[in-house]
Amino acid sequence: PQLEQTEPYEVQFPTSGWFDYWTGNRLETAETKVSTANVTPKLAELPVYVRPGTIMPFAPITQSTQEVPKGPLTLRVYPGPDCRGSIYVDDGHTFNYRKNEFLRMSFTCKLNQDGSLTLHASSHEGSYPAWWTELQLEIYGLSLQTPFVESNNQKVRTESRGTALNITLPDDGSGFDLTVREASKR
């Protein structure tokens, strides 16, 4: 029997620097009038790409919207121009958001000339309680040999996993500023 397989094809992107969602790798693109990449998708994967400059929040998997997630809030950070993201949470059932019973948090990042990355998280807005007590940052696309993390007031744990640098830090609602740089440039 002949095995099913996919053929490579060309994908056009509006800008360069896009990431493969599944691997976290930055796509190698040819710069012509548009950015193009030749890709060969896997049969069991839908091709999904992430714009550089995206910060995507992820909650742990739950069985229904009635269940409260357990574990950290994960932020996937894909550095690039105009880097930002946000999260908004409320009870999902009532109009209590009108009474300030919501939680909003915004994030920005900047890739600096020296290859370091600065990341800012705002303090929590609103009175709705966060279900998380920790943030898990997954930062893609950094080319640091020995990453060093500085945080304004937080104790952080770091680990490299695949193509991402993972940083875990507590979230008490006051926000944070964080810099990731080469250890030798401290």
Side-chain angles (χ1 to χ4, degrees), residues 140-174:
Y140 296 90
L142 288 183
S143 54
L144 302 174
Q145 297 298 314
T146 313
F148 176 77
V149 180
E150 293 176 305
S151 180
N152 56 337
N153 59 358
Q154 314 252 335
K155 198 167 191 133
V156 300
R157 297 188 315 269
T158 63
E159 128 184 59
S160 291
R161 205 178 312 156
T163 57
L165 173 65
N166 288 348
I167 301 170
T168 304
L169 66 160
D171 181 26
D172 63 5
S174 63

Short mmCIF file of all heavy atoms in Angstrom, two decimals, residues 140-174:
data_model
loop_
_atom_site.label_atom_id
_atom_site.label_comp_id
_atom_site.label_asym_id
_atom_site.label_seq_id
_atom_site.Cartn_x
_atom_site.Cartn_y
_atom_site.Cartn_z
N TYR A 140 10.22 32.25 22.82
CA TYR A 140 10.75 31.63 21.61
C TYR A 140 11.62 32.64 20.85
O TYR A 140 11.42 33.84 20.96
CB TYR A 140 9.61 31.14 20.71
CG TYR A 140 8.80 30.06 21.35
CD1 TYR A 140 7.70 30.35 22.13
CD2 TYR A 140 9.16 28.72 21.21
CE1 TYR A 140 6.96 29.35 22.75
CE2 TYR A 140 8.44 27.72 21.82
CZ TYR A 140 7.33 28.03 22.58
OH TYR A 140 6.62 27.04 23.19
N GLY A 141 12.55 32.13 20.07
CA GLY A 141 13.30 32.98 19.15
C GLY A 141 14.46 33.73 19.75
O GLY A 141 15.05 34.57 19.07
N LEU A 142 14.86 33.46 20.98
CA LEU A 142 16.03 34.12 21.56
C LEU A 142 17.27 33.29 21.23
O LEU A 142 17.24 32.07 21.33
CB LEU A 142 15.92 34.25 23.08
CG LEU A 142 14.92 35.25 23.61
CD1 LEU A 142 14.99 35.30 25.14
CD2 LEU A 142 15.16 36.63 23.04
N SER A 143 18.33 33.96 20.85
CA SER A 143 19.57 33.23 20.55
C SER A 143 20.61 33.56 21.61
O SER A 143 21.61 34.21 21.33
CB SER A 143 20.06 33.57 19.15
OG SER A 143 20.18 34.97 19.00
N LEU A 144 20.34 33.14 22.84
CA LEU A 144 21.24 33.36 23.95
C LEU A 144 21.88 32.03 24.36
O LEU A 144 21.18 31.04 24.54
CB LEU A 144 20.50 33.96 25.15
CG LEU A 144 19.76 35.29 24.91
CD1 LEU A 144 18.95 35.67 26.13
CD2 LEU A 144 20.74 36.39 24.55
N GLN A 145 23.20 32.02 24.49
CA GLN A 145 23.89 30.80 24.89
C GLN A 145 23.65 30.48 26.36
O GLN A 145 23.36 29.35 26.72
CB GLN A 145 25.41 30.93 24.63
CG GLN A 145 25.76 31.10 23.16
CD GLN A 145 25.34 29.90 22.35
OE1 GLN A 145 25.58 28.76 22.73
NE2 GLN A 145 24.69 30.15 21.22
N THR A 146 23.81 31.48 27.22
CA THR A 146 23.63 31.30 28.66
C THR A 146 22.70 32.40 29.15
O THR A 146 23.15 33.46 29.57
CB THR A 146 24.99 31.40 29.40
OG1 THR A 146 25.95 30.60 28.73
CG2 THR A 146 24.85 30.95 30.84
N PRO A 147 21.38 32.17 29.09
CA PRO A 147 20.44 33.22 29.48
C PRO A 147 20.50 33.53 30.97
O PRO A 147 20.65 32.64 31.80
CB PRO A 147 19.08 32.66 29.11
CG PRO A 147 19.28 31.28 28.66
CD PRO A 147 20.72 30.97 28.64
N PHE A 148 20.40 34.81 31.27
CA PHE A 148 20.35 35.30 32.65
C PHE A 148 19.10 36.16 32.76
O PHE A 148 18.84 37.01 31.91
CB PHE A 148 21.60 36.12 32.99
CG PHE A 148 21.55 36.72 34.35
CD1 PHE A 148 21.79 35.94 35.48
CD2 PHE A 148 21.23 38.06 34.52
CE1 PHE A 148 21.73 36.50 36.75
CE2 PHE A 148 21.17 38.62 35.79
CZ PHE A 148 21.42 37.84 36.91
N VAL A 149 18.31 35.96 33.81
CA VAL A 149 17.05 36.66 33.98
C VAL A 149 17.14 37.60 35.17
O VAL A 149 17.53 37.18 36.26
CB VAL A 149 15.88 35.68 34.18
CG1 VAL A 149 14.57 36.41 34.37
CG2 VAL A 149 15.80 34.71 33.01
N GLU A 150 16.78 38.86 34.95
CA GLU A 150 16.68 39.85 36.02
C GLU A 150 15.21 40.24 36.14
O GLU A 150 14.56 40.50 35.14
CB GLU A 150 17.47 41.11 35.69
CG GLU A 150 18.97 40.90 35.63
CD GLU A 150 19.68 42.17 35.19
OE1 GLU A 150 19.33 42.70 34.11
OE2 GLU A 150 20.55 42.61 35.94
N SER A 151 14.72 40.28 37.36
CA SER A 151 13.34 40.65 37.59
C SER A 151 13.29 41.69 38.69
O SER A 151 14.08 41.64 39.62
CB SER A 151 12.52 39.42 37.98
OG SER A 151 11.18 39.78 38.19
N ASN A 152 12.34 42.64 38.58
CA ASN A 152 12.28 43.75 39.53
C ASN A 152 12.12 43.31 40.98
O ASN A 152 12.77 43.82 41.86
CB ASN A 152 11.18 44.75 39.14
CG ASN A 152 9.81 44.12 39.01
OD1 ASN A 152 9.66 42.92 38.80
ND2 ASN A 152 8.78 44.95 39.11
N ASN A 153 11.26 42.36 41.26
CA ASN A 153 11.06 42.00 42.66
C ASN A 153 10.68 40.54 42.81
O ASN A 153 10.11 40.15 43.79
CB ASN A 153 9.99 42.89 43.29
CG ASN A 153 8.66 42.77 42.57
OD1 ASN A 153 8.55 42.07 41.57
ND2 ASN A 153 7.65 43.45 43.07
N GLN A 154 10.96 39.75 41.83
CA GLN A 154 10.45 38.39 41.82
C GLN A 154 11.58 37.37 41.78
O GLN A 154 12.59 37.59 41.13
CB GLN A 154 9.57 38.19 40.59
CG GLN A 154 8.60 39.31 40.34
CD GLN A 154 7.20 38.92 40.65
OE1 GLN A 154 6.87 37.78 40.61
NE2 GLN A 154 6.36 39.88 40.95
N LYS A 155 11.37 36.27 42.42
CA LYS A 155 12.30 35.15 42.33
C LYS A 155 11.84 34.30 41.14
O LYS A 155 10.66 33.95 41.06
CB LYS A 155 12.23 34.34 43.63
CG LYS A 155 13.41 33.45 43.80
CD LYS A 155 13.45 32.92 45.22
CE LYS A 155 14.79 32.25 45.39
NZ LYS A 155 15.45 32.61 46.60
N VAL A 156 12.74 34.02 40.23
CA VAL A 156 12.36 33.31 39.01
C VAL A 156 13.10 31.98 38.92
O VAL A 156 14.19 31.82 39.45
CB VAL A 156 12.63 34.15 37.74
CG1 VAL A 156 11.84 35.43 37.76
CG2 VAL A 156 14.10 34.43 37.57
N ARG A 157 12.44 31.03 38.22
CA ARG A 157 13.09 29.76 37.88
C ARG A 157 13.16 29.70 36.36
O ARG A 157 12.20 30.03 35.67
CB ARG A 157 12.26 28.57 38.40
CG ARG A 157 12.13 28.52 39.90
CD ARG A 157 11.46 27.23 40.40
NE ARG A 157 10.28 26.78 39.68
CZ ARG A 157 9.04 27.12 39.99
NH1 ARG A 157 8.80 27.93 41.00
NH2 ARG A 157 8.02 26.65 39.30
N THR A 158 14.31 29.28 35.83
CA THR A 158 14.46 29.19 34.38
C THR A 158 14.88 27.79 33.98
O THR A 158 15.51 27.06 34.75
CB THR A 158 15.52 30.17 33.84
OG1 THR A 158 16.78 29.84 34.39
CG2 THR A 158 15.18 31.60 34.18
N GLU A 159 14.49 27.44 32.76
CA GLU A 159 14.88 26.16 32.19
C GLU A 159 14.69 26.25 30.68
O GLU A 159 13.74 26.91 30.21
CB GLU A 159 14.05 25.04 32.85
CG GLU A 159 13.34 24.12 31.92
CD GLU A 159 12.46 23.10 32.64
OE1 GLU A 159 11.56 23.50 33.39
OE2 GLU A 159 12.68 21.91 32.40
N SER A 160 15.59 25.67 29.92
CA SER A 160 15.42 25.60 28.48
C SER A 160 14.71 24.30 28.15
O SER A 160 15.11 23.24 28.63
CB SER A 160 16.77 25.67 27.76
OG SER A 160 17.32 26.95 27.91
N ARG A 161 13.65 24.41 27.35
CA ARG A 161 12.90 23.22 26.95
C ARG A 161 12.61 23.32 25.46
O ARG A 161 11.86 24.18 25.03
CB ARG A 161 11.60 23.14 27.75
CG ARG A 161 11.06 21.73 27.86
CD ARG A 161 9.80 21.61 28.68
NE ARG A 161 9.86 22.29 29.97
CZ ARG A 161 8.78 22.70 30.61
NH1 ARG A 161 7.59 22.55 30.12
NH2 ARG A 161 8.89 23.30 31.78
N GLY A 162 13.25 22.48 24.67
CA GLY A 162 13.07 22.53 23.22
C GLY A 162 13.58 23.85 22.68
O GLY A 162 14.70 24.25 22.95
N THR A 163 12.75 24.56 21.96
CA THR A 163 13.15 25.84 21.37
C THR A 163 12.79 27.03 22.27
O THR A 163 13.01 28.17 21.88
CB THR A 163 12.48 26.04 20.00
OG1 THR A 163 11.07 25.95 20.17
CG2 THR A 163 12.93 25.00 19.00
N ALA A 164 12.24 26.76 23.45
CA ALA A 164 11.78 27.83 24.32
C ALA A 164 12.64 27.95 25.56
O ALA A 164 13.19 26.97 26.06
CB ALA A 164 10.33 27.59 24.75
N LEU A 165 12.75 29.18 26.04
CA LEU A 165 13.30 29.44 27.36
C LEU A 165 12.09 29.57 28.27
O LEU A 165 11.22 30.40 28.04
CB LEU A 165 14.12 30.73 27.37
CG LEU A 165 14.59 31.19 28.75
CD1 LEU A 165 15.58 30.17 29.34
CD2 LEU A 165 15.23 32.56 28.66
N ASN A 166 12.00 28.72 29.29
CA ASN A 166 10.86 28.74 30.21
C ASN A 166 11.26 29.45 31.49
O ASN A 166 12.29 29.14 32.07
CB ASN A 166 10.40 27.33 30.54
CG ASN A 166 9.70 26.67 29.37
OD1 ASN A 166 9.36 27.32 28.39
ND2 ASN A 166 9.49 25.38 29.46
N ILE A 167 10.43 30.39 31.89
CA ILE A 167 10.66 31.15 33.12
C ILE A 167 9.39 31.08 33.94
O ILE A 167 8.30 31.37 33.44
CB ILE A 167 11.00 32.63 32.80
CG1 ILE A 167 12.24 32.71 31.92
CG2 ILE A 167 11.16 33.43 34.08
CD1 ILE A 167 12.50 34.09 31.35
N THR A 168 9.51 30.68 35.20
CA THR A 168 8.37 30.61 36.10
C THR A 168 8.56 31.65 37.19
O THR A 168 9.65 31.73 37.78
CB THR A 168 8.24 29.21 36.72
OG1 THR A 168 8.17 28.24 35.66
CG2 THR A 168 7.00 29.10 37.58
N LEU A 169 7.53 32.45 37.44
CA LEU A 169 7.62 33.45 38.50
C LEU A 169 6.26 33.62 39.15
O LEU A 169 5.23 33.37 38.53
CB LEU A 169 8.15 34.78 37.97
CG LEU A 169 7.31 35.57 36.98
CD1 LEU A 169 7.77 37.02 37.00
CD2 LEU A 169 7.47 35.03 35.59
N PRO A 170 6.24 34.04 40.41
CA PRO A 170 4.96 34.25 41.09
C PRO A 170 4.23 35.45 40.51
O PRO A 170 4.86 36.37 39.99
CB PRO A 170 5.36 34.49 42.55
CG PRO A 170 6.78 34.91 42.51
CD PRO A 170 7.39 34.32 41.28
N ASP A 171 2.90 35.43 40.59
CA ASP A 171 2.10 36.58 40.17
C ASP A 171 1.20 36.98 41.32
O ASP A 171 0.21 36.31 41.62
CB ASP A 171 1.27 36.24 38.93
CG ASP A 171 0.43 37.42 38.47
OD1 ASP A 171 0.82 38.58 38.75
OD2 ASP A 171 -0.62 37.20 37.83
N ASP A 172 1.57 38.06 41.99
CA ASP A 172 0.77 38.55 43.11
C ASP A 172 -0.19 39.66 42.69
O ASP A 172 -0.84 40.29 43.52
CB ASP A 172 1.68 39.04 44.24
CG ASP A 172 2.55 40.22 43.85
OD1 ASP A 172 2.41 40.74 42.71
OD2 ASP A 172 3.39 40.62 44.67
N GLY A 173 -0.26 39.95 41.39
CA GLY A 173 -1.17 40.96 40.88
C GLY A 173 -0.55 42.33 40.70
O GLY A 173 -1.18 43.23 40.17
N SER A 174 0.71 42.51 41.14
CA SER A 174 1.33 43.84 41.06
C SER A 174 2.08 44.08 39.75
O SER A 174 2.62 45.16 39.55
CB SER A 174 2.28 44.04 42.24
OG SER A 174 3.33 43.11 42.19
#
